[in-house]
């Protein structure tokens, strides 16, 4: 092999991309257990061939409306923005920046602060002014954007490197979250149909507006390698045997076209266009706990006690985790309370996708 052939076989990449990849390999995964949010992290990691999210991963959270997608995102954001330690006490945080794209305009800062305060109080076992100082410090790591269309979302994503350089020169971006990727779904469908109708014969069909968002996400993921978390609506559940697991948690068809992220093993057997998707690391499906029918002769008090045995729990969410590195799935329960989010693994054993 001559020198020219050796040079051709050496893969070239920008220095920033290489440094971002090295940084991601050295980053510890999110430690939800360290913030007293339940045993979600340790239970999932035991006996399963995949790790919890870390920098460079791509996570999709899918489910129907009011299924806890935003609250699970809150839980991940807590760990990213809180300090690593305080007064020699480990808080398990990353002390990094979260960039939240609130496309649904549904982010509740008051509730987010209340839940964050509760988590820090549990971690420090105190409710003194120290907690309020940590809350204020942590919230400085939260930056919220509210684009009004997919084009605005894509344009803002493309400007993030400049925003990072000018507004956050001494901070590292830990999480880039879009809640939700489906917010402009109907508007994008209408736009695509209008463009298709006015397109001259023989002219290449214009890109769906969502394609620009995916391209911008890819570019930022390649250069900065944050943990990317995308929430997505679950509109249509699959009706096959593999579409519903043993606890009745459905899976949902991907309604976004093009899909923002795919598992790498799926990309290999797909058309070349799928190589332009984000490499999905974890897919989490959420669903409300099924409501049992009451007997005809049950009293109102008995019905209330049976429906909500724990008065502090607002709702209980069932979740299924799928990983790019395994054919197994695992299930967990997300209890959403007035001042707390508790994620715990279920007792049931992991299942296999077929």
């Amino acid at each position: 092999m001559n020198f020219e052939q050796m040079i051709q076989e050496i893969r070239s990449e920008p220095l920033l991309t290489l440094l971002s990849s090295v940084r991601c390999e050295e980053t510890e995964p999110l430690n939800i257990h360290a913030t007293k949010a339940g045993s979600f992290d340790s239970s999932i990691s035991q006996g399963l061939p995949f790790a919890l999210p870390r920098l460079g991963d791509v996570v999709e959270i899918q489910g129907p409306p009011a299924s806890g997608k935003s609250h699970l995102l809150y839980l991940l954001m807590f760990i990213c923005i809180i300090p690593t330690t305080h007064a020699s006490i480990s808080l398990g945080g990353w002390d990094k920046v979260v960039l939240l794209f609130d496309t649904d305009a549904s982010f509740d800062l008051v509730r987010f602060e209340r839940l964050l305060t509760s988590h820090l109080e549990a971690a420090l076992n105190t409710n003194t002014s120290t907690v309020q100082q940590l809350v204020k410090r942590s919230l400085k790591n939260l930056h919220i954007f509210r684009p009004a269309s997919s084009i605005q979302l894509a344009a803002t994503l493309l400007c993030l490197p400049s925003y990072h350089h000018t507004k956050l020169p001494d901070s590292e971006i830990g999480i880039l979250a879009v809640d939700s990727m489906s917010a402009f779904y109907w508007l994008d469908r209408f736009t695509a149909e209008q463009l298709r109708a006015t397109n001259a014969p023989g002219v290449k069909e214009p890109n769906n507006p969502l394609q620009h968002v995916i391209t911008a996400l890819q570019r930022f993921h390649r250069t900065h390698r944050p943990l990317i978390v995308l929430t997505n609506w679950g509109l249509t559940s699959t009706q096959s045997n593999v579409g519903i697991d043993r606890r009745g948690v459905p899976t949902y068809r991907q309604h976004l076209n093009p899909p923002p992220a795919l598992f790498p093993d799926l990309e290999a057997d797909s058309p070349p266009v799928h190589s332009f998707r984000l490499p999905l690391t974890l897919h989490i499906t959420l669903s409300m706990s099924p409501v049992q029918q009451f007997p005809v002769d049950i009293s109102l008090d008995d019905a209330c006690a049976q429906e909500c045995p724990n008065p502090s729990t607002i709702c209980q969410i069932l979740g299924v985790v799928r990983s790019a590195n395994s054919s197994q799935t695992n299930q967990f329960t997300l209890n959403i309370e007035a001042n707390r989010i508790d994620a715990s693994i279920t007792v049931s054993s992991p299942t296999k996708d077929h």
Side-chain angles (χ1 to χ4, degrees):
M1 181 181 297
N2 57 36
F3 180 75
E4 292 183 357
Q5 291 175 329
M6 292 177 61
I7 292 297
Q8 291 177 355
E9 291 192 1
I10 297 176
R11 182 172 61 90
S12 63
E13 61 181 351
L15 178 61
L16 183 58
T17 303
L18 176 61
L19 294 177
S20 298
S21 301
V22 173
R23 174 172 55 86
C24 295
E25 292 297 329
E26 296 178 349
T27 304
E28 292 296 325
L30 286 174
N31 187 357
I32 300 177
H33 183 63
T35 60
K36 308 299 182 183
S39 56
F40 182 71
D41 63 321
S42 59
S43 299
I44 279 187
S45 58
Q46 288 179 359
L48 289 179
F50 64 84
L52 286 176
R54 64 176 70 225
L55 289 179
D57 286 352
V58 178
V59 178
E60 182 179 17
I61 304 173
Q62 190 176 27
S67 60
K69 297 186 296 294
S70 295
H71 278 81
L72 181 56
L73 175 60
Y74 289 178
L75 194 58
L76 299 176
M77 290 165 60
F78 291 162
I79 287 82
C80 184
I81 65 176
I82 65 176
T84 303
T85 59
H86 175 74
S88 301
I89 299 176
S90 175
L91 299 178
W94 279 3
D95 198 13
K96 300 183 189 300
V97 170
V98 167
L99 302 178
L100 172 64
F101 288 84
D102 181 26
T103 57
D104 280 330
S106 60
F107 179 74
D108 188 343
L109 183 58
V110 174
R111 176 157 177 76
F112 184 84
E113 181 181 5
R114 183 166 67 246
L115 291 170
L116 177 60
T117 301
S118 175
H119 279 274
L120 288 173
E121 288 176 350
L124 295 173
N125 196 24
T126 180
N127 58 359
T128 61
S129 59
T130 302
V131 172
Q132 295 303 320
Q133 294 174 1
L134 287 173
V135 169
K136 290 181 180 179
R137 174 184 169 183
S138 299
L139 289 177
K140 290 181 179 179
N141 283 332
L142 176 60
H143 296 249
I144 304 172
F145 303 86
R146 282 184 171 149
S149 66
S150 290
I151 297 301
Q152 287 188 12
L153 174 58
T156 308
L157 287 168
L158 290 174
C159 293
L160 284 183
S162 176
Y163 183 86
H164 187 199
H165 177 71
T166 57
K167 303 294 185 180
L168 306 166
D170 301 322
S171 301
E172 184 178 354
I173 297 174
I175 289 180
L176 189 159
V178 181
D179 187 24
S180 106
M181 288 292 292
S182 304
F184 311 121
Y185 170 66
W186 297 112
L187 178 61
D188 289 345
R189 278 193 60 175
F190 176 77
T191 302
E193 290 173 1
Q194 293 293 103
L195 292 173
R196 191 179 302 113
T198 58
N199 203 20
V203 178
K204 182 180 178 181
E205 183 175 328
N207 286 334
N208 186 306
L210 183 60
Q211 179 64 63
H212 300 295
V213 175
I214 298 172
T215 301
L217 281 170
Q218 274 188 314
R219 182 176 300 180
F220 194 76
H221 180 257
R222 184 169 57 250
T223 58
H224 288 69
R225 304 290 290 179
L227 167 61
I228 294 182
V229 183
L230 310 173
T231 68
N232 190 5
W233 296 344
L235 297 181
T236 307
S237 62
T238 56
Q239 300 300 321
S240 62
N241 292 333
V242 298
I244 300 179
D245 69 82
R246 292 185 300 180
R247 293 185 66 210
V249 180
T251 57
Y252 298 90
R253 293 189 179 94
Q254 177 59 268
H255 60 280
L256 295 178
N257 184 26
L262 291 172
F263 284 128
D265 60 333
L266 295 181
E267 295 182 26
D269 299 328
S270 302
V273 67
H274 287 282
S275 63
F276 296 98
R277 305 296 175 260
L278 290 167
L280 189 62
T281 308
L282 289 179
H283 185 279
I284 301 175
T285 305
L286 300 179
S287 178
M288 292 287 293
S289 298
V291 178
Q292 298 180 353
Q293 291 186 343
F294 298 125
V296 178
D297 57 347
I298 192 173
S299 66
L300 178 60
D301 292 339
D302 292 341
C304 292
Q306 182 176 334
E307 183 175 14
C308 189
N310 185 1
S312 64
T313 301
I314 298 177
C315 62
Q316 186 178 76
I317 307 296
L318 303 179
V320 174
V321 181
R322 297 172 178 84
S323 168
N325 301 323
S326 172
S327 60
Q328 289 182 323
T329 64
N330 211 355
Q331 302 159 347
F332 66 95
T333 302
L334 189 70
N335 295 311
I336 300 176
E337 304 176 5
N339 296 311
R340 175 185 171 133
I341 307 173
D342 177 75
S344 57
I345 203 70
T346 58
V347 179
S348 58
S349 58
T351 61
K352 273 193 174 183
D353 287 338
H354 298 284

